PDB file of all heavy atoms in Angstrom:
ATOM      1  N   ASN A   1     119.142 125.204 148.172  1.00 92.00           N
ATOM      2  CA  ASN A   1     117.844 124.603 148.466  1.00 92.00           C
ATOM      3  C   ASN A   1     116.804 124.622 147.328  1.00 92.00           C
ATOM      4  O   ASN A   1     115.817 123.880 147.355  1.00 92.00           O
ATOM      5  CB  ASN A   1     117.197 125.248 149.621  1.00 92.00           C
ATOM      6  CG  ASN A   1     117.978 125.135 150.942  1.00 92.00           C
ATOM      7  OD1 ASN A   1     118.657 124.092 151.111  1.00 92.00           O
ATOM      8  ND2 ASN A   1     117.951 126.029 151.879  1.00 92.00           N
ATOM      9  N   GLY A   2     117.048 125.444 146.330  1.00 94.00           N
ATOM     10  CA  GLY A   2     115.964 125.601 145.296  1.00 94.00           C
ATOM     11  C   GLY A   2     116.562 125.671 143.911  1.00 94.00           C
ATOM     12  O   GLY A   2     117.621 126.145 143.664  1.00 94.00           O
ATOM     13  N   THR A   3     115.691 125.198 142.932  1.00 96.00           N
ATOM     14  CA  THR A   3     116.020 125.375 141.506  1.00 96.00           C
ATOM     15  C   THR A   3     114.743 125.634 140.685  1.00 96.00           C
ATOM     16  O   THR A   3     113.674 125.208 141.061  1.00 96.00           O
ATOM     17  CB  THR A   3     116.644 124.041 140.960  1.00 96.00           C
ATOM     18  OG1 THR A   3     115.752 122.968 141.089  1.00 96.00           O
ATOM     19  CG2 THR A   3     117.987 123.715 141.628  1.00 96.00           C
ATOM     20  N   VAL A   4     114.988 126.395 139.652  1.00 96.00           N
ATOM     21  CA  VAL A   4     113.951 126.646 138.646  1.00 96.00           C
ATOM     22  C   VAL A   4     114.521 126.315 137.291  1.00 96.00           C
ATOM     23  O   VAL A   4     115.566 126.793 136.978  1.00 96.00           O
ATOM     24  CB  VAL A   4     113.401 128.071 138.731  1.00 96.00           C
ATOM     25  CG1 VAL A   4     112.397 128.278 137.602  1.00 96.00           C
ATOM     26  CG2 VAL A   4     112.760 128.385 140.033  1.00 96.00           C
ATOM     27  N   ARG A   5     113.768 125.532 136.547  1.00 97.00           N
ATOM     28  CA  ARG A   5     114.254 125.165 135.170  1.00 97.00           C
ATOM     29  C   ARG A   5     113.145 125.368 134.164  1.00 97.00           C
ATOM     30  O   ARG A   5     111.973 125.124 134.447  1.00 97.00           O
ATOM     31  CB  ARG A   5     114.764 123.729 135.140  1.00 97.00           C
ATOM     32  CG  ARG A   5     115.157 123.270 133.754  1.00 97.00           C
ATOM     33  CD  ARG A   5     115.852 121.976 133.722  1.00 97.00           C
ATOM     34  NE  ARG A   5     116.225 121.573 132.395  1.00 97.00           N
ATOM     35  CZ  ARG A   5     117.210 120.790 132.060  1.00 97.00           C
ATOM     36  NH1 ARG A   5     117.971 120.283 133.024  1.00 97.00           N
ATOM     37  NH2 ARG A   5     117.420 120.447 130.805  1.00 97.00           N
ATOM     38  N   ALA A   6     113.532 125.838 132.988  1.00 98.00           N
ATOM     39  CA  ALA A   6     112.575 126.007 131.913  1.00 98.00           C
ATOM     40  C   ALA A   6     113.224 125.541 130.605  1.00 98.00           C
ATOM     41  O   ALA A   6     114.414 125.883 130.318  1.00 98.00           O
ATOM     42  CB  ALA A   6     112.171 127.478 131.734  1.00 98.00           C
ATOM     43  N   ASP A   7     112.511 124.771 129.775  1.00 98.00           N
ATOM     44  CA  ASP A   7     112.979 124.247 128.533  1.00 98.00           C
ATOM     45  C   ASP A   7     111.914 124.466 127.488  1.00 98.00           C
ATOM     46  O   ASP A   7     110.693 124.267 127.720  1.00 98.00           O
ATOM     47  CB  ASP A   7     113.234 122.744 128.575  1.00 98.00           C
ATOM     48  CG  ASP A   7     114.360 122.374 129.562  1.00 98.00           C
ATOM     49  OD1 ASP A   7     115.501 122.524 129.149  1.00 98.00           O
ATOM     50  OD2 ASP A   7     114.050 121.982 130.674  1.00 98.00           O
ATOM     51  N   TYR A   8     112.349 124.966 126.298  1.00 98.00           N
ATOM     52  CA  TYR A   8     111.438 125.171 125.169  1.00 98.00           C
ATOM     53  C   TYR A   8     111.711 124.064 124.176  1.00 98.00           C
ATOM     54  O   TYR A   8     112.897 123.903 123.768  1.00 98.00           O
ATOM     55  CB  TYR A   8     111.533 126.529 124.547  1.00 98.00           C
ATOM     56  CG  TYR A   8     110.450 126.710 123.516  1.00 98.00           C
ATOM     57  CD1 TYR A   8     109.193 127.193 123.909  1.00 98.00           C
ATOM     58  CD2 TYR A   8     110.641 126.495 122.150  1.00 98.00           C
ATOM     59  CE1 TYR A   8     108.180 127.372 122.969  1.00 98.00           C
ATOM     60  CE2 TYR A   8     109.630 126.647 121.271  1.00 98.00           C
ATOM     61  CZ  TYR A   8     108.433 127.113 121.644  1.00 98.00           C
ATOM     62  OH  TYR A   8     107.393 127.326 120.732  1.00 98.00           O
ATOM     63  N   VAL A   9     110.722 123.357 123.748  1.00 98.00           N
ATOM     64  CA  VAL A   9     110.942 122.155 122.878  1.00 98.00           C
ATOM     65  C   VAL A   9     110.041 122.377 121.594  1.00 98.00           C
ATOM     66  O   VAL A   9     108.895 122.723 121.625  1.00 98.00           O
ATOM     67  CB  VAL A   9     110.444 120.857 123.543  1.00 98.00           C
ATOM     68  CG1 VAL A   9     110.641 119.680 122.614  1.00 98.00           C
ATOM     69  CG2 VAL A   9     111.187 120.676 124.827  1.00 98.00           C
ATOM     70  N   HIS A  10     110.696 122.179 120.465  1.00 98.00           N
ATOM     71  CA  HIS A  10     110.032 122.141 119.186  1.00 98.00           C
ATOM     72  C   HIS A  10     110.383 120.837 118.469  1.00 98.00           C
ATOM     73  O   HIS A  10     111.506 120.392 118.351  1.00 98.00           O
ATOM     74  CB  HIS A  10     110.524 123.311 118.279  1.00 98.00           C
ATOM     75  CG  HIS A  10     109.916 123.262 116.898  1.00 98.00           C
ATOM     76  ND1 HIS A  10     108.633 123.700 116.615  1.00 98.00           N
ATOM     77  CD2 HIS A  10     110.464 122.883 115.698  1.00 98.00           C
ATOM     78  CE1 HIS A  10     108.367 123.564 115.390  1.00 98.00           C
ATOM     79  NE2 HIS A  10     109.419 123.058 114.779  1.00 98.00           N
ATOM     80  N   ARG A  11     109.248 120.146 118.058  1.00 97.00           N
ATOM     81  CA  ARG A  11     109.416 118.782 117.505  1.00 97.00           C
ATOM     82  C   ARG A  11     108.576 118.673 116.217  1.00 97.00           C
ATOM     83  O   ARG A  11     107.363 118.981 116.309  1.00 97.00           O
ATOM     84  CB  ARG A  11     109.003 117.756 118.578  1.00 97.00           C
ATOM     85  CG  ARG A  11     109.265 116.269 118.178  1.00 97.00           C
ATOM     86  CD  ARG A  11     108.756 115.396 119.239  1.00 97.00           C
ATOM     87  NE  ARG A  11     109.368 115.687 120.535  1.00 97.00           N
ATOM     88  CZ  ARG A  11     108.660 115.908 121.675  1.00 97.00           C
ATOM     89  NH1 ARG A  11     107.343 115.859 121.643  1.00 97.00           N
ATOM     90  NH2 ARG A  11     109.274 116.145 122.806  1.00 97.00           N
ATOM     91  N   GLU A  12     109.121 118.124 115.188  1.00 96.00           N
ATOM     92  CA  GLU A  12     108.367 117.860 113.913  1.00 96.00           C
ATOM     93  C   GLU A  12     108.551 116.428 113.492  1.00 96.00           C
ATOM     94  O   GLU A  12     109.745 115.955 113.405  1.00 96.00           O
ATOM     95  CB  GLU A  12     108.854 118.807 112.855  1.00 96.00           C
ATOM     96  CG  GLU A  12     108.486 120.279 113.061  1.00 96.00           C
ATOM     97  CD  GLU A  12     108.854 121.171 111.838  1.00 96.00           C
ATOM     98  OE1 GLU A  12     109.217 120.592 110.784  1.00 96.00           O
ATOM     99  OE2 GLU A  12     108.786 122.382 111.967  1.00 96.00           O
ATOM    100  N   ALA A  13     107.469 115.684 113.311  1.00 95.00           N
ATOM    101  CA  ALA A  13     107.567 114.297 112.877  1.00 95.00           C
ATOM    102  C   ALA A  13     107.610 114.193 111.363  1.00 95.00           C
ATOM    103  O   ALA A  13     107.112 115.013 110.641  1.00 95.00           O
ATOM    104  CB  ALA A  13     106.341 113.549 113.471  1.00 95.00           C
ATOM    105  N   HIS A  14     108.242 113.082 110.912  1.00 95.00           N
ATOM    106  CA  HIS A  14     108.423 112.791 109.496  1.00 95.00           C
ATOM    107  C   HIS A  14     108.337 111.323 109.220  1.00 95.00           C
ATOM    108  O   HIS A  14     108.325 110.496 110.061  1.00 95.00           O
ATOM    109  CB  HIS A  14     109.793 113.343 109.072  1.00 95.00           C
ATOM    110  CG  HIS A  14     109.992 114.813 109.233  1.00 95.00           C
ATOM    111  ND1 HIS A  14     109.516 115.763 108.443  1.00 95.00           N
ATOM    112  CD2 HIS A  14     110.697 115.444 110.264  1.00 95.00           C
ATOM    113  CE1 HIS A  14     109.870 116.967 108.862  1.00 95.00           C
ATOM    114  NE2 HIS A  14     110.587 116.783 109.969  1.00 95.00           N
ATOM    115  N   ASP A  15     108.317 111.022 107.893  1.00 94.00           N
ATOM    116  CA  ASP A  15     108.296 109.659 107.391  1.00 94.00           C
ATOM    117  C   ASP A  15     107.046 108.864 107.976  1.00 94.00           C
ATOM    118  O   ASP A  15     107.223 107.684 108.371  1.00 94.00           O
ATOM    119  CB  ASP A  15     109.558 108.908 107.698  1.00 94.00           C
ATOM    120  CG  ASP A  15     110.659 109.209 106.686  1.00 94.00           C
ATOM    121  OD1 ASP A  15     110.287 109.793 105.610  1.00 94.00           O
ATOM    122  OD2 ASP A  15     111.802 108.854 106.858  1.00 94.00           O
ATOM    123  N   PHE A  16     105.904 109.445 107.849  1.00 94.00           N
ATOM    124  CA  PHE A  16     104.719 108.736 108.369  1.00 94.00           C
ATOM    125  C   PHE A  16     104.427 107.560 107.450  1.00 94.00           C
ATOM    126  O   PHE A  16     104.694 107.552 106.273  1.00 94.00           O
ATOM    127  CB  PHE A  16     103.498 109.717 108.338  1.00 94.00           C
ATOM    128  CG  PHE A  16     103.724 110.975 109.049  1.00 94.00           C
ATOM    129  CD1 PHE A  16     104.172 112.165 108.290  1.00 94.00           C
ATOM    130  CD2 PHE A  16     103.608 111.101 110.368  1.00 94.00           C
ATOM    131  CE1 PHE A  16     104.356 113.343 108.950  1.00 94.00           C
ATOM    132  CE2 PHE A  16     103.845 112.321 111.047  1.00 94.00           C
ATOM    133  CZ  PHE A  16     104.178 113.421 110.369  1.00 94.00           C
ATOM    134  N   TYR A  17     103.755 106.541 108.012  1.00 94.00           N
ATOM    135  CA  TYR A  17     103.297 105.441 107.189  1.00 94.00           C
ATOM    136  C   TYR A  17     101.996 105.819 106.479  1.00 94.00           C
ATOM    137  O   TYR A  17     101.182 106.510 107.047  1.00 94.00           O
ATOM    138  CB  TYR A  17     103.030 104.162 108.036  1.00 94.00           C
ATOM    139  CG  TYR A  17     104.283 103.627 108.723  1.00 94.00           C
ATOM    140  CD1 TYR A  17     104.197 103.194 110.077  1.00 94.00           C
ATOM    141  CD2 TYR A  17     105.392 103.452 108.011  1.00 94.00           C
ATOM    142  CE1 TYR A  17     105.285 102.705 110.696  1.00 94.00           C
ATOM    143  CE2 TYR A  17     106.527 102.908 108.671  1.00 94.00           C
ATOM    144  CZ  TYR A  17     106.448 102.524 110.009  1.00 94.00           C
ATOM    145  OH  TYR A  17     107.547 102.013 110.607  1.00 94.00           O
ATOM    146  N   ALA A  18     101.882 105.414 105.249  1.00 94.00           N
ATOM    147  CA  ALA A  18     100.668 105.698 104.405  1.00 94.00           C
ATOM    148  C   ALA A  18     100.425 104.575 103.466  1.00 94.00           C
ATOM    149  O   ALA A  18     101.359 103.897 103.016  1.00 94.00           O
ATOM    150  CB  ALA A  18     100.815 107.082 103.720  1.00 94.00           C
ATOM    151  N   VAL A  19      99.163 104.403 103.087  1.00 93.00           N
ATOM    152  CA  VAL A  19      98.797 103.432 102.075  1.00 93.00           C
ATOM    153  C   VAL A  19      98.454 104.213 100.801  1.00 93.00           C
ATOM    154  O   VAL A  19      97.516 105.078 100.803  1.00 93.00           O
ATOM    155  CB  VAL A  19      97.545 102.601 102.479  1.00 93.00           C
ATOM    156  CG1 VAL A  19      97.123 101.680 101.334  1.00 93.00           C
ATOM    157  CG2 VAL A  19      97.846 101.852 103.791  1.00 93.00           C
ATOM    158  N   LYS A  20      99.217 103.940  99.747  1.00 95.00           N
ATOM    159  CA  LYS A  20      99.036 104.678  98.462  1.00 95.00           C
ATOM    160  C   LYS A  20      98.302 103.804  97.486  1.00 95.00           C
ATOM    161  O   LYS A  20      98.706 102.722  97.084  1.00 95.00           O
ATOM    162  CB  LYS A  20     100.401 105.054  97.943  1.00 95.00           C
ATOM    163  CG  LYS A  20     100.365 105.794  96.569  1.00 95.00           C
ATOM    164  CD  LYS A  20     101.772 106.006  96.033  1.00 95.00           C
ATOM    165  CE  LYS A  20     101.715 106.700  94.731  1.00 95.00           C
ATOM    166  NZ  LYS A  20     103.114 106.952  94.147  1.00 95.00           N
ATOM    167  N   VAL A  21      97.132 104.273  97.078  1.00 96.00           N
ATOM    168  CA  VAL A  21      96.363 103.531  96.024  1.00 96.00           C
ATOM    169  C   VAL A  21      95.923 104.648  95.027  1.00 96.00           C
ATOM    170  O   VAL A  21      95.098 105.552  95.352  1.00 96.00           O
ATOM    171  CB  VAL A  21      95.099 102.790  96.574  1.00 96.00           C
ATOM    172  CG1 VAL A  21      94.351 102.165  95.441  1.00 96.00           C
ATOM    173  CG2 VAL A  21      95.532 101.857  97.624  1.00 96.00           C
ATOM    174  N   ASP A  22      96.487 104.589  93.835  1.00 95.00           N
ATOM    175  CA  ASP A  22      96.098 105.598  92.829  1.00 95.00           C
ATOM    176  C   ASP A  22      96.174 104.931  91.403  1.00 95.00           C
ATOM    177  O   ASP A  22      96.331 103.701  91.366  1.00 95.00           O
ATOM    178  CB  ASP A  22      96.943 106.877  92.938  1.00 95.00           C
ATOM    179  CG  ASP A  22      98.433 106.625  92.757  1.00 95.00           C
ATOM    180  OD1 ASP A  22      98.781 105.600  92.201  1.00 95.00           O
ATOM    181  OD2 ASP A  22      99.234 107.467  93.291  1.00 95.00           O
ATOM    182  N   GLN A  23      96.195 105.729  90.385  1.00 94.00           N
ATOM    183  CA  GLN A  23      96.198 105.190  88.991  1.00 94.00           C
ATOM    184  C   GLN A  23      97.501 104.586  88.617  1.00 94.00           C
ATOM    185  O   GLN A  23      97.647 103.951  87.592  1.00 94.00           O
ATOM    186  CB  GLN A  23      95.787 106.289  88.005  1.00 94.00           C
ATOM    187  CG  GLN A  23      94.341 106.707  88.132  1.00 94.00           C
ATOM    188  CD  GLN A  23      93.357 105.640  87.869  1.00 94.00           C
ATOM    189  OE1 GLN A  23      93.250 105.189  86.725  1.00 94.00           O
ATOM    190  NE2 GLN A  23      92.680 105.078  88.955  1.00 94.00           N
ATOM    191  N   THR A  24      98.522 104.789  89.450  1.00 94.00           N
ATOM    192  CA  THR A  24      99.872 104.226  89.117  1.00 94.00           C
ATOM    193  C   THR A  24     100.125 102.941  89.783  1.00 94.00           C
ATOM    194  O   THR A  24     101.044 102.215  89.368  1.00 94.00           O
ATOM    195  CB  THR A  24     100.987 105.252  89.551  1.00 94.00           C
ATOM    196  OG1 THR A  24     101.055 105.342  90.941  1.00 94.00           O
ATOM    197  CG2 THR A  24     100.745 106.612  88.950  1.00 94.00           C
ATOM    198  N   THR A  25      99.358 102.564  90.793  1.00 94.00           N
ATOM    199  CA  THR A  25      99.673 101.301  91.587  1.00 94.00           C
ATOM    200  C   THR A  25      99.050 100.079  90.956  1.00 94.00           C
ATOM    201  O   THR A  25      99.472  98.963  91.332  1.00 94.00           O
ATOM    202  CB  THR A  25      99.179 101.467  93.005  1.00 94.00           C
ATOM    203  OG1 THR A  25      97.802 101.771  93.066  1.00 94.00           O
ATOM    204  CG2 THR A  25      99.994 102.597  93.681  1.00 94.00           C
ATOM    205  N   GLY A  26      98.069 100.212  90.078  1.00 93.00           N
ATOM    206  CA  GLY A  26      97.593  99.097  89.338  1.00 93.00           C
ATOM    207  C   GLY A  26      96.584  98.209  90.075  1.00 93.00           C
ATOM    208  O   GLY A  26      96.018  98.615  91.115  1.00 93.00           O
ATOM    209  N   GLN A  27      96.331  96.982  89.523  1.00 94.00           N
ATOM    210  CA  GLN A  27      95.374  96.094  90.082  1.00 94.00           C
ATOM    211  C   GLN A  27      95.838  94.646  90.046  1.00 94.00           C
ATOM    212  O   GLN A  27      96.805  94.356  89.325  1.00 94.00           O
ATOM    213  CB  GLN A  27      94.053  96.175  89.223  1.00 94.00           C
ATOM    214  CG  GLN A  27      93.363  97.565  89.329  1.00 94.00           C
ATOM    215  CD  GLN A  27      92.139  97.623  88.412  1.00 94.00           C
ATOM    216  OE1 GLN A  27      91.948  96.829  87.506  1.00 94.00           O
ATOM    217  NE2 GLN A  27      91.269  98.621  88.684  1.00 94.00           N
ATOM    218  N   VAL A  28      95.222  93.783  90.876  1.00 93.00           N
ATOM    219  CA  VAL A  28      95.601  92.420  90.892  1.00 93.00           C
ATOM    220  C   VAL A  28      94.357  91.556  90.938  1.00 93.00           C
ATOM    221  O   VAL A  28      93.241  92.138  91.212  1.00 93.00           O
ATOM    222  CB  VAL A  28      96.451  92.034  92.158  1.00 93.00           C
ATOM    223  CG1 VAL A  28      97.829  92.736  92.062  1.00 93.00           C
ATOM    224  CG2 VAL A  28      95.761  92.453  93.423  1.00 93.00           C
ATOM    225  N   THR A  29      94.426  90.260  90.650  1.00 90.00           N
ATOM    226  CA  THR A  29      93.306  89.381  90.718  1.00 90.00           C
ATOM    227  C   THR A  29      93.570  88.303  91.761  1.00 90.00           C
ATOM    228  O   THR A  29      94.599  87.706  91.853  1.00 90.00           O
ATOM    229  CB  THR A  29      93.125  88.658  89.349  1.00 90.00           C
ATOM    230  OG1 THR A  29      92.921  89.668  88.350  1.00 90.00           O
ATOM    231  CG2 THR A  29      91.890  87.750  89.369  1.00 90.00           C
ATOM    232  N   ASP A  30      92.542  88.113  92.634  1.00 83.00           N
ATOM    233  CA  ASP A  30      92.701  87.075  93.755  1.00 83.00           C
ATOM    234  C   ASP A  30      92.309  85.712  93.243  1.00 83.00           C
ATOM    235  O   ASP A  30      91.980  85.526  92.086  1.00 83.00           O
ATOM    236  CB  ASP A  30      91.858  87.527  94.961  1.00 83.00           C
ATOM    237  CG  ASP A  30      90.379  87.475  94.728  1.00 83.00           C
ATOM    238  OD1 ASP A  30      89.908  86.900  93.677  1.00 83.00           O
ATOM    239  OD2 ASP A  30      89.651  88.068  95.558  1.00 83.00           O
ATOM    240  N   ASP A  31      92.398  84.728  94.144  1.00 80.00           N
ATOM    241  CA  ASP A  31      92.107  83.360  93.796  1.00 80.00           C
ATOM    242  C   ASP A  31      90.679  83.079  93.369  1.00 80.00           C
ATOM    243  O   ASP A  31      90.388  82.033  92.821  1.00 80.00           O
ATOM    244  CB  ASP A  31      92.506  82.471  94.969  1.00 80.00           C
ATOM    245  CG  ASP A  31      94.017  82.439  95.201  1.00 80.00           C
ATOM    246  OD1 ASP A  31      94.752  82.782  94.336  1.00 80.00           O
ATOM    247  OD2 ASP A  31      94.420  81.983  96.303  1.00 80.00           O
ATOM    248  N   PHE A  32      89.724  84.010  93.683  1.00 77.00           N
ATOM    249  CA  PHE A  32      88.385  83.825  93.300  1.00 77.00           C
ATOM    250  C   PHE A  32      88.016  84.498  92.010  1.00 77.00           C
ATOM    251  O   PHE A  32      86.891  84.586  91.616  1.00 77.00           O
ATOM    252  CB  PHE A  32      87.462  84.383  94.427  1.00 77.00           C
ATOM    253  CG  PHE A  32      87.646  83.734  95.764  1.00 77.00           C
ATOM    254  CD1 PHE A  32      88.417  84.297  96.758  1.00 77.00           C
ATOM    255  CD2 PHE A  32      87.019  82.512  96.020  1.00 77.00           C
ATOM    256  CE1 PHE A  32      88.537  83.669  97.963  1.00 77.00           C
ATOM    257  CE2 PHE A  32      87.197  81.818  97.210  1.00 77.00           C
ATOM    258  CZ  PHE A  32      87.953  82.452  98.217  1.00 77.00           C
ATOM    259  N   GLY A  33      89.060  85.142  91.378  1.00 83.00           N
ATOM    260  CA  GLY A  33      88.812  85.857  90.164  1.00 83.00           C
ATOM    261  C   GLY A  33      88.386  87.277  90.314  1.00 83.00           C
ATOM    262  O   GLY A  33      88.014  87.956  89.316  1.00 83.00           O
TER     263      GLY A  33
END
């Protein structure tokens, strides 16, 4: 008639999205100059 259950969970996320703008990424010029 009865049950007891316990679970321990450990989770780590990786490969997040990020926008990188630094001295290595450079610059561009748009159509308006």
Side-chain angles (χ1 to χ4, degrees):
N1 296 329
T3 60
V4 175
R5 175 169 178 154
D7 296 280
Y8 190 83
V9 179
H10 176 76
R11 185 183 304 128
E12 293 185 7
H14 300 280
D15 275 351
F16 309 97
Y17 296 135
V19 178
K20 179 183 179 182
V21 180
D22 59 22
Q23 292 299 289
T24 69
T25 55
Q27 297 176 342
V28 293
T29 302
D30 66 14
D31 292 341
F32 299 100

